Amino acid sequence: MNIYALPFLLCTWFGLGKLKPAPGTWGSAGALPFAWALQVYGGPWAVAIAAATIALISLWAIRLFLVRWPGDDPGEIVIDEVAGMWLTLIFVPADPVFYLAAFAVFRFFDTTKIWPASWADRTLDGAPGVLIDDLFAGVYGMLVMLAVVYFW
């Protein structure tokens, strides 16, 4: 087996990152069913642990991906969107309306890159440069969704 096969599968989130247009949107959408299952069977702690775990795994996978397929932030890499989306969903109940709202909120923050996400996107290189702006977007999304769920 090629040593780059697993990092490629993970970075593209099982091929979703190859879909056009907007591979980040496809990757974010592909994160939802996994988060749903984690929320239903394990609750917020399971989603939080999975988000932290996938963020750590993504540092390894992205580093290897960039060795084989160099670039600043190749569009095919969407595991960073998965990590950010799961952060956004930590306190969101498994409900289609809340999940749709969380998806929209995360995509907003992921694309607008509000500071310090913009700083991370511009200044960090390699795997951290690909990942950290999405983690900021995930934290922003988590805070917004926490307020939405609390006040709903």
Side-chain angles (χ1 to χ4, degrees):
M1 182 171 151
N2 184 331
I3 65 165
Y4 298 106
L6 182 58
F8 180 84
L9 280 173
L10 291 172
C11 283
T12 63
W13 203 243
F14 310 100
L16 290 177
K18 300 296 283 176
L19 296 176
K20 304 291 185 224
T25 301
W26 289 106
S28 300
L32 296 174
F34 294 92
W36 184 286
L38 288 163
Q39 187 65 259
V40 167
Y41 295 109
W45 281 108
V47 180
I49 291 167
T53 302
I54 203 69
L56 291 173
I57 290 169
S58 72
L59 287 172
W60 165 80
I62 293 167
R63 184 180 61 76
L64 284 177
F65 186 100
L66 293 175
V67 167
R68 177 70 175 86
W69 298 279
D72 288 333
D73 189 352
E76 296 91 356
I77 297 176
V78 296
I79 194 171
D80 51 332
E81 273 82 10
V82 173
M85 188 76 249
W86 287 358
L87 279 175
T88 297
L89 291 167
I90 289 173
F91 300 110
V92 176
D95 176 276
V97 173
F98 282 121
Y99 264 54
L100 183 60
F103 176 79
V105 165
F106 173 72
R107 291 306 299 149
F108 170 78
F109 287 121
D110 188 28
T111 57
T112 58
K113 300 200 183 311
I114 297 169
W115 189 89
S118 58
W119 168 83
D121 188 52
R122 281 190 324 272
T123 56
L124 300 176
D125 293 326
V130 174
L131 174 65
I132 292 176
D133 64 303
D134 294 275
L135 296 182
F136 279 120
V139 170
Y140 302 153
M142 175 180 53
L143 294 173
V144 168
M145 290 310 299
L146 185 59
V148 167
V149 168
Y150 178 78
F151 289 110
W152 189 265

